[in-house]
């Protein structure tokens, strides 16, 4: 069992345990998740800080002006948890995380996603004292947000192909055993797709346990190679091009869908699995032109940002390829 799994407390009334925290408690949250949690608890934090986008120049100013606290508790989705992780890391305050949705792996990863000029960068290394998983609260969140969470695990499918490709063509360090174990996560998701789609306690547990497994594998290897490949480059490029925020899981889903095609990597199986889990890889609000530009300018973006080696370096993204993606997404 991984170290992280031992720190996870699960149950229906688990949030009442937070009442036992001694000293000054800073809650980092957003309006909707805080409202969702507040009705279930009988305690009040010393202060609530509303989380916002993680642009580093802005959050540094906020963190600098914070007084001292004994605990920081992040309640919400990826941004709330990342902001709480950042404060805990910068101020050296013990951390508790309460994910109210399982939409991204942020509550479970030691690194913190920040943005610099709208490009994601990872900083820090922080492990929470506890992670509270309250099935009732997670079930209250919109279903599509919870379903999107599995994308940060299905990314293993395209990431492993990229990793092997980089080992073969770019001499990158490769670990066969870790790759095999990561691939087993995909088999589990395949078996549990219906539970994940229906956001049952079993489905939530599957996602949470596999996040922990994934974090453990990445820790052993030393970076996120086993789960982060070209599909994440696609996600970052969409945000960079459009300057709009999307659901991370949807973008990663689109990345998995399009990069698996470029890799010619079990396309039907992974597309079907994305659908069965309910990941909206068609990304609501992303236009035909934006999809085209994302793919056609992907190599240029990757080179300019100095991102890692992947299928993008060995296979050309042609107009024909883009047309086939647009066709499959019903955009032409
Ligand atoms: Zn991700």
């Amino acid at each position: 069992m991984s170290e992280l799994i031992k720190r996870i407390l699960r149950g229906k009334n688990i949030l009442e345990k937070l009442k036992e925290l001694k000293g000054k408690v800073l809650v980092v949250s957003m309006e909707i998740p805080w409202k969702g949690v507040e009705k279930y608890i009988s305690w009040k934090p010393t202060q609530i800080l509303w989380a916002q986008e993680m642009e580093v120049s802005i959050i540094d100013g906020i963190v600098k002006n914070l007084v001292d606290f004994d605990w920081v508790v992040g309640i919400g989705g990826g941004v709330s948890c990342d902001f709480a992780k950042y404060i805990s890391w910068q101020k050296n305050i013990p951390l508790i995380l309460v994910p109210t949705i399982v939409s991204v792996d942020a509550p479970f990863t030691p690194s913190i996603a920040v943005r610099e000029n709208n490009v994601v960068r990872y900083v820090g290394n922080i492990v929470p004292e506890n992670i509270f998983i309250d099935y009732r609260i997670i079930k209250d969140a919109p279903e599509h947000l919870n379903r999107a969470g599995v994308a940060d695990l299905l990314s293993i499918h395209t990431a492993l192909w990229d990793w092997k490709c980089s080992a073969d063509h770019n001499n990158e360090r490769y670990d066969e055993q870790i790759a095999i174990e990561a691939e087993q996560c995909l088999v589990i998701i395949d078996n549990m797709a219906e539970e994940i789609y229906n956001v049952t306690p079993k489905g939530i547990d599957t996602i949470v346990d596999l996040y922990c497994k994934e974090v453990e594998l990445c820790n052993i290897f030393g970076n996120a190679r086993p789960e982060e490949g070209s599909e994440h480059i696609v996600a970052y490029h969409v945000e960079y091009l459009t300057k709009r925020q999307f659901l991370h899981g949807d973008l990663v889903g689109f990345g998995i869908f399009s990069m698996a095609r470029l890799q010619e990597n079990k396309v039907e199986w992974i597309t079907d699995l994305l659908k069965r889990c309910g990941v909206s890889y068609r990304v609501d609000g992303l236009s035909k032109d934006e999809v085209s530009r994302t793919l056609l300018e992907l190599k240029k973006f990757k080179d300019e940002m100095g991102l890692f080696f992947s299928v993008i370096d060995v296979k050309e993204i042609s107009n024909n390829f883009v047309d086939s993606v647009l066709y499959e997404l019903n955009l032409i």
Side-chain angles (χ1 to χ4, degrees):
M1 188 162 53
S2 81
E3 266 310 302
L4 194 58
I5 282 193
K6 291 182 206 153
R7 292 169 183 252
I8 297 178
L9 306 177
R10 311 173 202 226
K12 269 189 181 156
N13 249 329
I14 201 79
L15 291 185
E16 274 303 304
K17 272 196 158 303
L18 288 171
K19 214 164 45 175
E20 295 158 18
L21 291 180
K22 299 271 179 287
K24 289 193 283 181
V25 176
L26 173 68
V27 160
V28 179
S29 191
M30 285 180 168
E31 228 171 310
I32 293 172
W34 176 245
K35 268 194 188 141
V37 164
E38 204 181 12
K39 63 181 180 208
Y40 292 123
I41 58 175
S42 62
W43 55 274
K44 290 249 177 295
T46 315
Q47 190 188 328
I48 302 176
L49 182 66
W50 300 120
Q52 51 184 297
E53 291 315 323
M54 294 289 290
E55 190 65 41
V56 100
S57 55
I58 299 171
I59 57 173
D60 271 346
I62 298 170
V63 172
K64 213 173 68 194
N65 289 322
L66 277 179
V67 295
D68 265 347
F69 286 92
D70 300 295
W71 292 92
V72 54
V73 181
I75 298 176
V79 175
S80 298
C81 288
D82 264 333
F83 201 0
K85 280 159 74 182
Y86 194 80
I87 292 167
S88 166
W89 176 56
Q90 290 275 314
K91 304 280 246 184
N92 207 9
I93 306 171
L95 172 70
I96 287 179
L97 293 176
V98 184
T100 54
I101 41 175
V102 285
S103 60
V104 280
D105 59 7
F108 305 90
T109 58
S111 57
I112 307 159
V114 296
R115 283 161 202 279
E116 258 175 330
N117 303 318
N118 222 23
V119 176
V120 174
R121 194 162 65 80
Y122 290 95
V123 297
N125 184 1
I126 184 96
V127 179
E129 301 298 314
N130 287 118
I131 301 175
F132 286 71
I133 300 289
D134 188 313
Y135 300 120
R136 190 178 43 183
I137 284 172
I138 291 174
K139 185 79 187 163
D140 279 351
E143 281 175 332
H144 75 278
L145 297 182
N146 281 319
R147 291 170 184 157
V150 78
D152 260 342
L153 294 162
L154 291 178
S155 61
I156 290 171
H157 178 66
T158 33
L160 286 184
W161 193 101
D162 288 329
W163 188 16
K164 184 77 174 65
C165 169
S166 183
D168 292 344
H169 297 275
N170 195 36
N171 225 3
E172 188 174 333
R173 186 164 59 94
Y174 187 75
D175 188 317
E176 185 86 41
Q177 190 52 38
I178 287 179
I180 289 170
E181 284 190 46
E183 197 149 19
Q184 282 165 357
C185 297
L186 299 173
V187 176
I188 295 171
I189 295 168
D190 199 351
N191 290 330
M192 298 296 283
E194 205 181 320
E195 305 276 352
I196 292 169
Y197 184 88
N198 290 321
V199 200
T200 63
K202 262 190 191 168
I204 294 168
D205 277 341
T206 302
I207 290 187
V208 167
D209 292 345
L210 291 180
Y211 278 157
C212 292
K213 178 79 189 166
E214 182 180 87
V215 165
E216 189 191 14
L217 293 175
C218 292
N219 273 346
I220 296 169
F221 182 66
N223 63 47
R225 213 20 158 156
E227 67 97 6
E228 186 166 312
S230 51
E231 76 297 319
H232 270 80
I233 300 181
V234 171
Y236 300 144
H237 193 206
V238 171
E239 290 185 327
Y240 179 81
L241 268 184
T242 64
K243 309 274 180 270
R244 304 201 300 277
Q245 297 287 323
F246 296 88
L247 192 59
H248 180 69
D250 288 356
L251 289 186
V252 172
F254 167 56
I256 297 166
F257 166 77
S258 53
M259 291 300 102
R261 296 181 77 80
L262 190 63
Q263 295 169 344
E264 299 176 76
N265 177 15
K266 293 165 80 177
V267 175
E268 267 177 40
W269 174 76
I270 194 67
T271 307
D272 187 52
L273 189 50
L274 283 163
K275 279 184 199 159
R276 284 164 55 216
C277 292
V279 178
S280 310
Y281 61 89
R282 281 152 209 263
V283 190
D284 252 4
L286 197 62
S287 73
K288 177 188 156 198
D289 273 2
E290 287 166 342
V291 169
S292 295
R293 277 189 66 198
T294 297
L295 295 172
L296 287 171
E297 296 169 20
L298 195 57
K299 172 83 164 78
K300 188 168 142 251
F301 170 74
K302 178 258 153 188
D303 287 342
E304 278 174 14
M305 294 296 159
L307 297 171
F308 47 83
F309 194 93
S310 73
V311 65
I312 302 163
D313 296 278
V314 296
K315 290 202 182 192
E316 195 207 340
I317 296 181
S318 64
N319 284 313
N320 275 349
F321 173 79
V322 174
D323 281 348
S324 76
V325 170
L326 292 173
Y327 178 79
E328 289 298 325
L329 294 177
N330 286 331
L331 286 167
I332 51 172

